[in-house]
Amino acid sequence: MLSVWLRVIRVRFLLASVIAVSVGLALNWWQNSSLDLLDALLTFAGVMALHASVDLLNDFWDFKRGIDTKTKRTKMSGGTGVLPEGLLKPSSVYRAGIAFLIIGTLIGGYFVITDGILIAMILGFAILSIYFYSTKIVDSGLGEFFVAVKGSMIVIGTFFIQSGQINIESILGGIVVGSLSALVLFIASFPDHDADKSKGRKTLVITVGKKKASKLFWIFPLISYGAIIVGVSANLFPLFSLISLLSMPLMIKSGLGLQKNYDAVENLVPSMSSTLLFGRITGALFVASFLIDI
């Protein structure tokens, strides 16, 4: 049963939030040589709880809307398959999603008390976007935008909790992480195009069509790389941050694979996997660059 719950929570995708928090912590350490360990641990716990919540609620609503029963599931798309296979009750998954949302909210509430109105604004955005993500946001074609904003806010919020300030470095760092997170969601929506469209969803891929959307792939990594290059050029990031560009071969492989196989689900899986790996490696190298330069 534990393995089923880990599957529906999509544990391996939680690494995106780990990287986002780590960027905020590493940036603060590089600038201020300080770390409040308790606040760092609570930040990790709160962000992970909120991330688990959105994944659980997304699985619940996709099942209720009949999307997961129409998609061809892969290891990278089409939901977890837990509810269509009858491994858990929909009500149990929904309650777990709400429970994680409450846990994340309570931890966030602590930071609202200790750090003030900015955290309250970030927390409010997180709660609303998580609860309405699967029913409203993805139906409006704004899924990638909200994921990008969410990733950016995690970095900015983490940095603010540690340092008590927001600066251009934390904003640029947020853009790096947010763009990478949005890219993973973007490419994973290609196999679900038909099922999503039949149930009223309006992803970016549905809005512009698969062929045109495949060419938009390059925008996300260019934004991420661009933010890093701007940061280094303006002495906002250490020179070592350029090691993040070592992931470029993976990015090229993923983009070319998508343009070749955007309409073939089975052939698209390697490109989705390499895109996920690209995002994780780029984020990890970005974190490492702040620690190496100390």
Side-chain angles (χ1 to χ4, degrees):
M1 184 58 69
L2 176 60
S3 63
V4 174
W5 278 107
L6 292 176
R7 176 176 159 188
V8 75
I9 291 173
R10 310 183 204 199
V11 172
R12 63 176 179 152
F13 289 100
L14 295 181
L15 186 56
S17 290
V18 172
I19 289 174
V21 173
S22 298
V23 167
L25 295 175
L27 177 58
N28 175 69
W29 181 259
W30 178 67
Q31 288 194 337
N32 305 311
S33 298
S34 65
L35 175 68
D36 187 312
L37 184 58
L38 176 60
D39 281 355
L41 293 175
L42 285 174
T43 302
F44 272 118
V47 170
M48 297 283 277
L50 293 175
H51 191 149
S53 174
V54 73
D55 284 346
L56 287 162
L57 293 176
N58 185 62
D59 237 40
F60 170 78
W61 285 114
D62 280 3
F63 177 74
K64 292 291 286 185
R65 296 175 66 176
I67 294 175
D68 280 353
T69 57
K70 294 177 71 67
T71 56
K72 185 174 183 179
R73 194 169 68 86
T74 72
K75 63 179 182 179
M76 291 293 298
S77 63
T80 64
V82 166
L83 293 180
E85 293 171 25
L87 299 177
L88 291 173
K89 294 181 179 180
S91 58
S92 298
V93 172
Y94 180 79
R95 285 195 295 268
I98 296 299
F100 275 114
L101 182 59
I102 292 172
I103 292 171
T105 300
L106 290 174
I107 294 174
Y110 164 78
F111 287 122
V112 171
I113 295 172
T114 59
D115 294 279
I117 189 65
L118 179 69
I119 299 301
M121 293 171 62
I122 293 176
L123 180 62
F125 172 86
I127 293 170
L128 291 174
S129 61
I130 287 170
Y131 190 78
F132 292 107
Y133 175 80
S134 300
T135 56
K136 301 294 182 182
I137 294 173
V138 292
D139 288 355
S140 62
L142 296 174
E144 287 83 3
F145 172 76
F146 271 82
V147 167
V149 172
K150 180 205 73 173
S152 298
M153 284 189 169
I154 292 174
V155 175
I156 294 169
T158 300
F159 182 81
F160 180 80
I161 287 169
Q162 291 288 325
S163 68
Q165 62 177 326
I166 294 178
N167 55 22
I168 188 63
E169 292 95 325
S170 63
I171 294 173
L172 280 175
I175 291 172
V176 172
V177 171
S179 299
L180 294 174
S181 298
L183 176 62
V184 174
L185 175 65
F186 171 72
I187 195 169
S189 65
F190 277 83
D192 298 338
H193 174 278
D194 294 345
D196 284 344
K197 189 175 182 179
S198 69
K199 296 299 180 178
R201 277 195 167 176
K202 191 179 180 182
T203 63
L204 181 57
V205 176
I206 292 173
T207 300
V208 303
K210 290 183 182 180
K211 186 173 183 178
K212 290 181 179 178
S214 67
K215 298 176 182 178
L216 298 179
F217 172 93
W218 309 103
I219 294 176
F220 298 94
L222 286 177
I223 291 174
S224 186
Y225 280 154
I228 293 172
I229 293 171
V230 168
V232 171
S233 300
N235 294 318
L236 300 172
F237 296 155
L239 182 61
F240 280 114
S241 291
L242 293 178
I243 66 173
S244 304
L245 275 63
L246 291 175
S247 61
M248 191 174 294
L250 267 176
M251 180 266 288
I252 295 173
K253 175 185 176 183
S254 302
L256 293 178
L258 173 62
Q259 288 193 267
K260 181 180 179 181
N261 301 301
Y262 62 83
D263 207 23
V265 174
E266 293 299 332
N267 295 334
L268 189 55
V269 172
S271 294
M272 290 191 290
S273 296
S274 60
T275 297
L276 179 65
L277 185 60
F278 160 72
R280 302 300 184 257
I281 290 177
T282 304
L285 289 174
F286 190 47
V287 171
S289 70
F290 295 109
L291 305 179
I292 292 172
D293 194 63
I294 293 174

